[in-house]
PDB file of all heavy atoms in Angstrom:
ATOM      1  N   ALA U 453      -6.774 -80.705 -13.980  1.00  0.00           N
ATOM      2  CA  ALA U 453      -6.334 -79.342 -14.182  1.00  0.00           C
ATOM      3  C   ALA U 453      -6.552 -78.893 -15.693  1.00  0.00           C
ATOM      4  O   ALA U 453      -6.988 -77.730 -15.865  1.00  0.00           O
ATOM      5  CB  ALA U 453      -4.860 -79.277 -13.900  1.00  0.00           C
ATOM      6  N   LEU U 454      -6.346 -79.824 -16.534  1.00  0.00           N
ATOM      7  CA  LEU U 454      -6.519 -79.504 -17.986  1.00  0.00           C
ATOM      8  C   LEU U 454      -8.127 -79.140 -18.372  1.00  0.00           C
ATOM      9  O   LEU U 454      -8.322 -78.192 -19.121  1.00  0.00           O
ATOM     10  CB  LEU U 454      -6.166 -80.634 -18.935  1.00  0.00           C
ATOM     11  CG  LEU U 454      -4.670 -80.867 -19.115  1.00  0.00           C
ATOM     12  CD1 LEU U 454      -4.507 -82.230 -19.941  1.00  0.00           C
ATOM     13  CD2 LEU U 454      -4.014 -79.669 -19.983  1.00  0.00           C
ATOM     14  N   PHE U 455      -9.006 -79.770 -17.639  1.00  0.00           N
ATOM     15  CA  PHE U 455     -10.344 -79.637 -18.035  1.00  0.00           C
ATOM     16  C   PHE U 455     -11.176 -78.865 -16.949  1.00  0.00           C
ATOM     17  O   PHE U 455     -12.369 -78.711 -17.102  1.00  0.00           O
ATOM     18  CB  PHE U 455     -10.974 -81.066 -18.370  1.00  0.00           C
ATOM     19  CG  PHE U 455     -10.307 -81.608 -19.528  1.00  0.00           C
ATOM     20  CD1 PHE U 455      -9.507 -82.752 -19.331  1.00  0.00           C
ATOM     21  CD2 PHE U 455     -10.333 -81.139 -20.790  1.00  0.00           C
ATOM     22  CE1 PHE U 455      -8.988 -83.460 -20.372  1.00  0.00           C
ATOM     23  CE2 PHE U 455      -9.730 -81.735 -21.829  1.00  0.00           C
ATOM     24  CZ  PHE U 455      -9.038 -82.963 -21.666  1.00  0.00           C
ATOM     25  N   ASP U 456     -10.626 -78.425 -15.861  1.00  0.00           N
ATOM     26  CA  ASP U 456     -11.241 -77.726 -14.828  1.00  0.00           C
ATOM     27  C   ASP U 456     -11.766 -76.411 -15.527  1.00  0.00           C
ATOM     28  O   ASP U 456     -10.944 -75.670 -16.100  1.00  0.00           O
ATOM     29  CB  ASP U 456     -10.264 -77.342 -13.647  1.00  0.00           C
ATOM     30  CG  ASP U 456     -10.932 -76.741 -12.571  1.00  0.00           C
ATOM     31  OD1 ASP U 456     -11.945 -75.993 -12.729  1.00  0.00           O
ATOM     32  OD2 ASP U 456     -10.382 -76.870 -11.369  1.00  0.00           O
ATOM     33  N   PRO U 457     -12.903 -76.044 -15.438  1.00  0.00           N
ATOM     34  CA  PRO U 457     -13.561 -74.784 -16.007  1.00  0.00           C
ATOM     35  C   PRO U 457     -12.742 -73.568 -15.632  1.00  0.00           C
ATOM     36  O   PRO U 457     -12.719 -72.667 -16.449  1.00  0.00           O
ATOM     37  CB  PRO U 457     -14.971 -74.850 -15.674  1.00  0.00           C
ATOM     38  CG  PRO U 457     -15.346 -76.232 -15.388  1.00  0.00           C
ATOM     39  CD  PRO U 457     -14.066 -76.816 -14.798  1.00  0.00           C
ATOM     40  N   LYS U 458     -12.295 -73.545 -14.447  1.00  0.00           N
ATOM     41  CA  LYS U 458     -11.577 -72.287 -14.012  1.00  0.00           C
ATOM     42  C   LYS U 458     -10.277 -72.116 -14.646  1.00  0.00           C
ATOM     43  O   LYS U 458      -9.692 -71.096 -14.758  1.00  0.00           O
ATOM     44  CB  LYS U 458     -11.249 -72.281 -12.402  1.00  0.00           C
ATOM     45  CG  LYS U 458     -10.303 -73.280 -11.944  1.00  0.00           C
ATOM     46  CD  LYS U 458     -10.317 -73.271 -10.352  1.00  0.00           C
ATOM     47  CE  LYS U 458      -9.240 -74.360  -9.875  1.00  0.00           C
ATOM     48  NZ  LYS U 458      -9.285 -74.202  -8.312  1.00  0.00           N
ATOM     49  N   HIS U 459      -9.691 -73.162 -15.328  1.00  0.00           N
ATOM     50  CA  HIS U 459      -8.451 -73.017 -16.116  1.00  0.00           C
ATOM     51  C   HIS U 459      -8.694 -72.922 -17.601  1.00  0.00           C
ATOM     52  O   HIS U 459      -7.800 -72.890 -18.526  1.00  0.00           O
ATOM     53  CB  HIS U 459      -7.556 -74.346 -15.936  1.00  0.00           C
ATOM     54  CG  HIS U 459      -7.226 -74.412 -14.540  1.00  0.00           C
ATOM     55  ND1 HIS U 459      -6.820 -75.724 -13.906  1.00  0.00           N
ATOM     56  CD2 HIS U 459      -6.829 -73.558 -13.651  1.00  0.00           C
ATOM     57  CE1 HIS U 459      -6.402 -75.566 -12.622  1.00  0.00           C
ATOM     58  NE2 HIS U 459      -6.509 -74.290 -12.429  1.00  0.00           N
ATOM     59  N   ARG U 460     -10.044 -72.760 -18.002  1.00  0.00           N
ATOM     60  CA  ARG U 460     -10.363 -72.776 -19.399  1.00  0.00           C
ATOM     61  C   ARG U 460      -9.687 -71.816 -20.201  1.00  0.00           C
ATOM     62  O   ARG U 460      -9.065 -71.999 -21.338  1.00  0.00           O
ATOM     63  CB  ARG U 460     -11.884 -72.709 -19.582  1.00  0.00           C
ATOM     64  CG  ARG U 460     -12.261 -72.865 -21.105  1.00  0.00           C
ATOM     65  CD  ARG U 460     -11.867 -74.248 -21.763  1.00  0.00           C
ATOM     66  NE  ARG U 460     -12.014 -74.207 -23.205  1.00  0.00           N
ATOM     67  CZ  ARG U 460     -11.032 -74.845 -23.861  1.00  0.00           C
ATOM     68  NH1 ARG U 460      -9.911 -75.266 -23.466  1.00  0.00           N
ATOM     69  NH2 ARG U 460     -11.090 -74.763 -25.139  1.00  0.00           N
ATOM     70  N   GLU U 461      -9.571 -70.474 -19.678  1.00  0.00           N
ATOM     71  CA  GLU U 461      -8.975 -69.414 -20.460  1.00  0.00           C
ATOM     72  C   GLU U 461      -7.531 -69.682 -20.630  1.00  0.00           C
ATOM     73  O   GLU U 461      -7.023 -69.451 -21.810  1.00  0.00           O
ATOM     74  CB  GLU U 461      -9.305 -68.177 -19.756  1.00  0.00           C
ATOM     75  CG  GLU U 461      -8.737 -66.909 -20.494  1.00  0.00           C
ATOM     76  CD  GLU U 461      -9.205 -65.578 -19.787  1.00  0.00           C
ATOM     77  OE1 GLU U 461     -10.137 -65.551 -18.882  1.00  0.00           O
ATOM     78  OE2 GLU U 461      -8.470 -64.590 -20.031  1.00  0.00           O
ATOM     79  N   GLU U 462      -6.846 -70.111 -19.533  1.00  0.00           N
ATOM     80  CA  GLU U 462      -5.419 -70.429 -19.801  1.00  0.00           C
ATOM     81  C   GLU U 462      -5.070 -71.478 -20.782  1.00  0.00           C
ATOM     82  O   GLU U 462      -4.273 -71.444 -21.489  1.00  0.00           O
ATOM     83  CB  GLU U 462      -4.767 -70.810 -18.374  1.00  0.00           C
ATOM     84  CG  GLU U 462      -3.296 -71.134 -18.384  1.00  0.00           C
ATOM     85  CD  GLU U 462      -2.899 -71.884 -17.130  1.00  0.00           C
ATOM     86  OE1 GLU U 462      -3.391 -71.727 -16.000  1.00  0.00           O
ATOM     87  OE2 GLU U 462      -1.993 -72.679 -17.313  1.00  0.00           O
ATOM     88  N   VAL U 463      -5.907 -72.564 -20.591  1.00  0.00           N
ATOM     89  CA  VAL U 463      -5.632 -73.794 -21.534  1.00  0.00           C
ATOM     90  C   VAL U 463      -5.910 -73.358 -22.925  1.00  0.00           C
ATOM     91  O   VAL U 463      -5.286 -73.812 -23.819  1.00  0.00           O
ATOM     92  CB  VAL U 463      -6.432 -74.957 -20.936  1.00  0.00           C
ATOM     93  CG1 VAL U 463      -6.329 -76.134 -21.865  1.00  0.00           C
ATOM     94  CG2 VAL U 463      -6.045 -75.467 -19.560  1.00  0.00           C
ATOM     95  N   ALA U 464      -6.991 -72.649 -23.242  1.00  0.00           N
ATOM     96  CA  ALA U 464      -7.425 -72.270 -24.531  1.00  0.00           C
ATOM     97  C   ALA U 464      -6.286 -71.452 -25.110  1.00  0.00           C
ATOM     98  O   ALA U 464      -6.022 -71.600 -26.296  1.00  0.00           O
ATOM     99  CB  ALA U 464      -8.714 -71.510 -24.430  1.00  0.00           C
ATOM    100  N   ALA U 465      -5.747 -70.540 -24.336  1.00  0.00           N
ATOM    101  CA  ALA U 465      -4.496 -69.773 -24.903  1.00  0.00           C
ATOM    102  C   ALA U 465      -3.303 -70.649 -25.164  1.00  0.00           C
ATOM    103  O   ALA U 465      -2.752 -70.498 -26.345  1.00  0.00           O
ATOM    104  CB  ALA U 465      -4.113 -68.719 -23.835  1.00  0.00           C
ATOM    105  N   TYR U 466      -3.097 -71.599 -24.390  1.00  0.00           N
ATOM    106  CA  TYR U 466      -2.074 -72.657 -24.621  1.00  0.00           C
ATOM    107  C   TYR U 466      -2.343 -73.405 -25.863  1.00  0.00           C
ATOM    108  O   TYR U 466      -1.423 -73.608 -26.729  1.00  0.00           O
ATOM    109  CB  TYR U 466      -1.911 -73.599 -23.452  1.00  0.00           C
ATOM    110  CG  TYR U 466      -1.102 -74.833 -23.684  1.00  0.00           C
ATOM    111  CD1 TYR U 466       0.326 -74.788 -23.274  1.00  0.00           C
ATOM    112  CD2 TYR U 466      -1.741 -75.956 -24.148  1.00  0.00           C
ATOM    113  CE1 TYR U 466       0.948 -75.975 -23.443  1.00  0.00           C
ATOM    114  CE2 TYR U 466      -0.860 -77.170 -24.299  1.00  0.00           C
ATOM    115  CZ  TYR U 466       0.386 -77.134 -23.917  1.00  0.00           C
ATOM    116  OH  TYR U 466       1.147 -78.253 -24.158  1.00  0.00           O
ATOM    117  N   GLU U 467      -3.595 -73.870 -26.099  1.00  0.00           N
ATOM    118  CA  GLU U 467      -3.981 -74.612 -27.249  1.00  0.00           C
ATOM    119  C   GLU U 467      -3.820 -73.804 -28.494  1.00  0.00           C
ATOM    120  O   GLU U 467      -3.323 -74.259 -29.502  1.00  0.00           O
ATOM    121  CB  GLU U 467      -5.438 -75.047 -27.116  1.00  0.00           C
ATOM    122  CG  GLU U 467      -5.585 -76.101 -26.121  1.00  0.00           C
ATOM    123  CD  GLU U 467      -7.069 -76.240 -25.711  1.00  0.00           C
ATOM    124  OE1 GLU U 467      -8.061 -75.450 -26.096  1.00  0.00           O
ATOM    125  OE2 GLU U 467      -7.518 -77.267 -24.905  1.00  0.00           O
ATOM    126  N   GLU U 468      -4.119 -72.461 -28.467  1.00  0.00           N
ATOM    127  CA  GLU U 468      -3.992 -71.776 -29.657  1.00  0.00           C
ATOM    128  C   GLU U 468      -2.616 -71.406 -30.002  1.00  0.00           C
ATOM    129  O   GLU U 468      -2.141 -71.468 -31.128  1.00  0.00           O
ATOM    130  CB  GLU U 468      -4.816 -70.372 -29.367  1.00  0.00           C
ATOM    131  CG  GLU U 468      -4.774 -69.483 -30.591  1.00  0.00           C
ATOM    132  CD  GLU U 468      -5.318 -69.895 -31.812  1.00  0.00           C
ATOM    133  OE1 GLU U 468      -6.299 -70.742 -31.667  1.00  0.00           O
ATOM    134  OE2 GLU U 468      -4.950 -69.536 -32.877  1.00  0.00           O
TER     135      GLU U 468
END
Side-chain angles (χ1 to χ4, degrees):
L454 282 173
F455 299 114
D456 188 332
K458 71 183 181 184
H459 296 149
R460 183 60 195 139
E461 187 174 337
E462 177 198 331
V463 173
Y466 168 92
E467 292 167 349
E468 182 62 28

